[in-house]
Amino acid sequence: MVVSLLLGLSAGGVWWWKQRLASETPSTTPAAPVATAPAAPGSEAPGATAAAPAPGATAAAPAPGATAAAAPTAAAAPAAADPLKASGLSHASIRIDGPLETAITTAAGPSVGPALAQVVTRTLVWWIDVPGDIRRGDTLDVLYEVRSNEEPLVYAVRFTSNKTGQTHRAYRFQAEGDKNPRYYLPSGEELELRLENSPLDDYEQVTSLLRDGRRHKGVDFKTPVGTAVKAPFTGIVRRKNWSFRFNGNCLDLEEAGGKGRHALMLHMEELPRSLKVGDRIAAGTVLGRSGNSGHSFAPHLHYQLEAADERVLDPYESHRTYRRSLVPSQRAAFEAEMRRQDGLLGTTVAGG
């Protein structure tokens, strides 16, 4: 009887131990089915997902906080750079309701405006008379670079004229192999007219004309010191280096053949000693080199034509003129640069 009682207790203990192990098994076995097939809402054991998320469960069904945690990373991505600022250039968008210089200074600011107005005028004079043809309501967009201790460098000009009824455009571009950049029309032609039998074969820009409103008596060609200056016609040397304080090294060539016109070249480098008053010079002969002498603020050649009675003549009416065009191999590069500058002109920055 005692033996039967002991056997019964042993069997009961074994049964109790198995039941206890069975009751503990769910808490120690990984709940793989829950990870691969999430239960319907509310069927999960309370806190089970947060306490032990199955591998891949977050990717399949992100917790609400996951998106919020990633948001700062997306917001911290750098914004696209302003193309105008990245180019180092400025854009002035101008409506003209009075003097041109006042309008440009209002848009670009007093530190750069007056000088910018002078540079822009060098472009406008090839389309209209300045200031006579400026009209209220004309609009002007200028793409330019501010330079320390130098005049602003203009890259593009877009001018809508009530006088001509047209929008005029010009772009700065340096063709491969050219010594100087030039301003070009959208057609690929140079903005500026050139003179046949010019005293200079090449130069950077015409900075003054008789019709630009400055009451200048000649044409100023911006060109580096040392550029060859040639005789525009066959003539006799009549004067050298008169009024040196203002003219610097200068030369007066009187046209041969009875026409009596005079070609005056001012602000040159020191003239050759071999060149003497009374010498006869053939057309195209190098007379000397351009300079920056006398009353001159930057290297250039002043070219002035006078009639026999000392009336000032406009070289652009006395010489035949023409425009150079880009060669076909340069058109693609120019058109790409034109599109770039147009894009920057379309980017308006407050205050110019």
Side-chain angles (χ1 to χ4, degrees):
M1 192 171 184
V2 173
V3 172
S4 298
L5 182 59
L6 290 173
L7 289 173
L9 289 173
S10 299
V14 170
W15 179 86
W16 175 81
W17 181 254
K18 287 183 177 180
Q19 290 300 316
R20 181 179 178 185
L21 288 176
S23 66
E24 291 178 353
T25 299
S27 64
T28 58
T29 303
V34 176
T36 55
S43 64
E44 304 92 335
T49 302
T58 304
T67 303
T73 303
D82 179 349
L84 183 64
K85 188 175 294 184
S87 73
L89 305 180
S90 298
H91 170 209
S93 187
I94 301 152
R95 176 185 168 88
I96 302 171
D97 288 311
L100 177 64
E101 182 175 324
T102 300
I104 292 177
T105 299
T106 299
S111 62
V112 70
L116 182 62
Q118 290 188 27
V119 179
V120 169
T121 297
R122 300 171 194 166
T123 303
L124 301 184
V125 292
W126 299 102
W127 298 317
I128 59 170
D129 288 334
V130 179
D133 289 341
I134 297 287
R135 298 286 186 268
R136 288 184 179 274
D138 289 352
T139 60
L140 180 64
D141 283 273
V142 183
L143 185 67
Y144 64 97
E145 176 186 353
V146 177
R147 301 183 295 175
S148 179
N149 300 320
E150 290 187 81
E151 66 184 16
L153 183 59
V154 169
Y155 280 78
V157 173
R158 183 168 60 206
F159 174 61
T160 300
S161 167
N162 288 313
K163 167 73 174 180
T164 66
Q166 299 177 28
T167 295
H168 305 275
R169 294 182 291 154
Y171 305 89
R172 188 175 188 267
F173 175 72
Q174 185 166 3
E176 185 177 355
D178 281 2
K179 195 182 298 183
N180 299 302
R182 308 285 299 180
Y183 290 97
Y184 289 90
L185 304 171
S187 64
E189 292 181 300
E190 288 182 345
L191 168 69
E192 299 177 354
L193 289 170
R194 289 180 179 257
L195 304 176
E196 288 189 3
N197 302 315
S198 171
L200 296 174
D201 287 338
D202 199 20
Y203 48 90
E204 186 173 338
Q205 188 184 15
V206 174
T207 57
S208 184
L209 293 166
L210 271 69
R211 63 176 184 271
D212 63 8
R214 297 174 57 191
R215 299 183 181 179
H216 207 54
K217 294 183 178 181
V219 175
D220 285 350
F221 296 97
K222 181 181 179 181
T223 191
V225 171
T227 304
V229 178
K230 298 181 176 181
F233 44 65
T234 298
I236 308 297
V237 177
R238 292 303 183 197
R239 289 184 292 175
K240 281 178 63 177
N241 296 350
W242 72 99
S243 300
F244 184 84
R245 178 183 173 190
F246 297 100
N247 299 337
N249 294 294
C250 53
L251 188 68
D252 178 356
L253 185 69
E254 182 181 1
E255 188 176 12
K259 294 184 178 179
R261 290 187 305 175
H262 287 250
L264 281 58
M265 277 75 76
L266 314 183
H267 311 302
M268 297 174 67
E269 278 194 311
E270 187 175 356
L271 295 171
R273 293 184 179 181
S274 58
L275 188 67
K276 297 181 173 58
V277 172
D279 286 352
R280 183 181 177 88
I281 306 295
T285 301
V286 174
L287 300 168
R289 303 282 170 177
S290 67
N292 191 27
S293 57
H295 191 61
S296 173
F297 296 104
H300 74 285
L301 176 72
H302 173 100
Y303 175 53
Q304 182 172 325
L305 275 181
E306 294 181 353
D309 61 2
E310 297 185 357
R311 284 182 300 107
V312 174
L313 304 173
D314 188 340
Y316 283 92
E317 295 175 357
S318 300
H319 288 254
R320 291 181 179 178
T321 61
Y322 66 101
R323 277 191 171 97
R324 285 185 184 174
S325 294
L326 289 167
V327 298
S329 62
Q330 294 291 323
R331 286 304 302 267
F334 167 66
E335 288 171 3
E337 177 62 10
M338 182 168 62
R339 287 192 298 271
R340 184 187 77 88
Q341 294 183 20
D342 275 337
L344 296 174
L345 279 176
T347 307
T348 303
V349 174

